[in-house]
Amino acid sequence: MRATGEKTQLAQSHPYLLRPNRTILTLSLPILLSLIAEPVTALVDTAFVARLGAIPLAALGVGAGALSSVLWIFNFLGIATQTEVAQTFGRDDDEGARKAVSLAFAIGAALSLLLTGLMMASASAVARVLGAEGAVLAMATAYIRARLLGAPAVMLVFVGFGALRGKQDMKTPLWIALGINFANGLLDYLFIFGWGALPALGVAGAGLASSLAQWLGALWMLRAVGRRVGLSRHISLRDGFRLLRVGRDLFIRSASLTFFVLFATRVATQMGAEAGAAHQVIRQVWFFTALISESLATTAQSLVGYFFGAGRREYAKRVAISTTIFSLGAGFVMLGGTLAATPIVRSALVPSDALIAFQAAWIIAALSQPLSALAFVTDGIHWGTSDYRFLRNAMLTATAGGLLGLQIVASDEAGALAGVWLMTVLWIAIRAIFGFARLYPGIGASPFRSGVASAGALPKPAP
């Protein structure tokens, strides 16, 4: 680790301080493209399997839904790794970064092996809980087991992406994500339909293709992390337990978020098929537009973490302000874009009998875009300071308020879907208010206040 004076000089010469807007855009655009690449994999699988018929496609839906939900929760390893590497990067502590990444890889490998063993044994039961039976159950079970072969690779990619983005290398994860998509598409064709001596494996072939593509991506990513950050054999078991405690906060937060989204979908579906269909359309468009906010949040996390590690809170707060302004601007652009796209979405995606339920709810969802952008970017800012416990509590508070509101608006009346989206806006608003207030004026033990350290911060790796 370099002397404090040299470290401060490095922080003061960071590109953000010279060209803040350009730096934010340069970092955010590759993240956005890599985030868009992820759902493309699912679309490719769907396109190929759809050629096999309705039963295989239904099985794919069950299997992919089960695996995606479970694996996504373990993304806490990527979030924690990104913050830790960003902060060690700011401290110019290369050895600390190597130890933190190596520790995260070790924990990810252990958790993935445990998850694989448990889900291999319970794959059929999981598919049955999600409503699969008969031929759909058999195919979904085969798909889940084939996809589980790639679970360790997925965990490694989570950690690797976090490590590279913490080092502010946003382009390498993009190329790896594109490579995984290309390999998945090629292998899909070979394994689903067969080729030469290779038999057609159907839905299970789609799972096997995804697993192999993930392993190819993981190997590429390991090489990139080894060159860009480095790895170490010297990891501390004590630090491993502390990382798991951080993971507990992020796990609870992710589970709370997922529960609210699923419960809102359940309430909308119980209002009738028309409301359920309209809600699905609005939700998918909302999730897609959220990728822009998520890319800015990831950029904020890396930059804030870097300046916190360098001990320059004033620069970190400057990043927080500028990324917040950027995100709000993007939110208003998305508001205008979604409103302008209303006729296209209505005619292309919404069934005619769902139009009445769709209209008011769509307007509410569109108007929430700036608020949603604020919630996302403040999440990224506070991830950068390791303020995980605060984010957990804010999400739990928002989810409690949102769930109470959903219980109140639950109804089978024609306009009730608008109430679901009003409560979703309430849920978003609570998160945004807490996130912004933690930044300014700095409620509670805000890391942005001088002399306060985040309770959720990871320790420096043991020597």
Side-chain angles (χ1 to χ4, degrees):
M1 188 184 300
R2 299 184 188 182
T4 302
E6 294 180 70
K7 181 176 66 175
T8 300
Q9 188 174 14
L10 283 173
Q12 290 174 333
S13 64
H14 191 278
Y16 170 80
L17 300 177
L18 304 175
R19 297 179 298 274
N21 295 338
R22 180 178 176 180
T23 301
I24 291 171
L25 290 174
T26 301
L27 294 176
S28 298
L29 184 58
I31 299 170
L32 175 61
L33 294 176
S34 63
L35 291 172
I36 292 173
E38 294 176 11
V40 170
T41 301
L43 290 176
V44 171
D45 286 350
T46 300
F48 279 119
V49 173
R51 295 168 60 182
L52 302 178
I55 291 178
L57 188 58
L60 175 68
V62 170
L67 264 297
S68 298
S69 299
V70 172
L71 290 173
W72 180 79
I73 292 176
F74 287 92
N75 192 36
F76 74 82
L77 284 170
I79 295 172
T81 301
Q82 180 174 336
T83 295
E84 185 66 6
V85 170
Q87 292 182 358
T88 55
F89 183 28
R91 293 194 296 267
D92 199 30
D93 181 6
D94 294 337
E95 181 60 21
R98 287 192 287 269
K99 289 178 180 179
V101 172
S102 300
L103 174 63
F105 274 137
I107 291 177
L111 288 176
S112 64
L113 291 175
L114 177 62
L115 173 68
T116 299
L118 291 174
M119 287 202 69
M120 279 286 188
S122 60
S124 181
V126 169
R128 191 177 288 109
V129 167
L130 294 177
E133 55 185 27
V136 173
L137 175 61
M139 292 182 186
T141 301
Y143 175 85
I144 290 172
R145 286 174 175 160
R147 274 288 304 274
L148 282 170
L149 297 174
V154 173
M155 297 282 198
L156 294 176
V157 169
F158 281 161
V159 173
F161 279 12
L164 293 170
R165 287 171 177 163
K167 198 77 171 179
Q168 295 172 26
D169 177 0
M170 310 306 187
K171 292 181 180 179
T172 302
L174 169 60
W175 291 119
I176 294 174
L178 293 175
I180 290 172
N181 271 275
F182 178 79
N184 179 75
L186 180 61
L187 294 170
D188 260 348
Y189 184 85
L190 296 177
F191 287 118
I192 293 174
F193 304 112
W195 186 72
L198 186 68
L201 299 176
V203 178
L208 185 59
S210 294
S211 291
L212 288 175
Q214 288 289 346
W215 274 111
L216 291 172
L219 293 173
W220 182 0
M221 181 274 307
L222 282 169
R223 182 172 180 271
V225 170
R227 294 176 61 182
R228 191 78 176 85
V229 182
L231 298 172
S232 173
R233 296 180 181 178
H234 305 292
I235 57 177
S236 165
L237 185 62
R238 180 183 62 186
D239 290 345
F241 285 119
R242 290 175 180 170
L243 177 59
L244 288 175
R245 283 202 292 272
V246 167
R248 175 196 62 196
D249 290 335
L250 290 170
F251 181 92
I252 292 171
R253 179 187 177 278
S254 297
S256 176
L257 184 154
T258 302
F259 184 77
F260 177 84
V261 171
L262 292 176
F263 190 81
T265 300
R266 177 177 180 271
V267 171
T269 303
Q270 289 179 332
M271 292 176 177
E274 296 82 2
H279 180 75
Q280 174 67 6
V281 171
I282 298 169
R283 189 182 69 162
Q284 291 305 316
V285 173
W286 186 86
F287 277 134
F288 184 79
T289 58
L291 295 179
I292 297 174
S293 299
E294 189 173 346
S295 67
L296 288 165
T298 303
T299 295
Q301 180 184 358
S302 287
L303 291 173
V304 167
Y306 172 82
F307 286 120
F308 254 76
R312 302 309 299 260
R313 292 171 190 254
E314 71 278 16
Y315 294 162
K317 194 159 187 177
R318 193 185 302 180
V319 169
I321 293 170
S322 57
T323 52
T324 298
I325 292 171
F326 253 96
S327 196
L328 283 172
F332 280 106
V333 170
M334 289 185 287
L335 187 161
T338 49
L339 289 178
T342 300
I344 299 173
V345 174
R346 191 168 49 205
S347 61
L349 301 176
V350 185
S352 57
D353 55 355
L355 287 173
I356 295 176
F358 167 81
Q359 192 61 36
W362 171 260
I363 298 299
I364 292 169
L367 293 174
S368 75
Q369 290 288 351
L371 202 57
S372 175
L374 181 61
F376 270 94
V377 78
T378 53
D379 280 350
I381 290 166
H382 299 308
W383 280 334
T385 65
S386 307
D387 206 1
Y388 305 121
R389 191 175 303 164
F390 171 79
L391 290 171
R392 177 201 68 187
N393 293 339
M395 180 63 74
L396 287 172
T397 302
T399 297
L403 291 177
L404 179 61
L406 287 173
Q407 293 282 14
I408 294 171
V409 303
S411 168
D412 57 1
E413 296 179 3
L417 184 61
V420 171
W421 277 94
L422 279 174
M423 292 307 108
T424 301
V425 173
L426 172 65
W427 175 68
I428 295 168
I430 294 173
R431 293 168 51 198
I433 290 168
F434 272 98
F436 187 78
R438 186 71 156 182
L439 172 63
Y440 183 83
I443 61 172
S446 172
F448 286 97
R449 289 166 51 195
S450 299
V452 178
S454 173
L458 286 174
K460 296 180 182 179

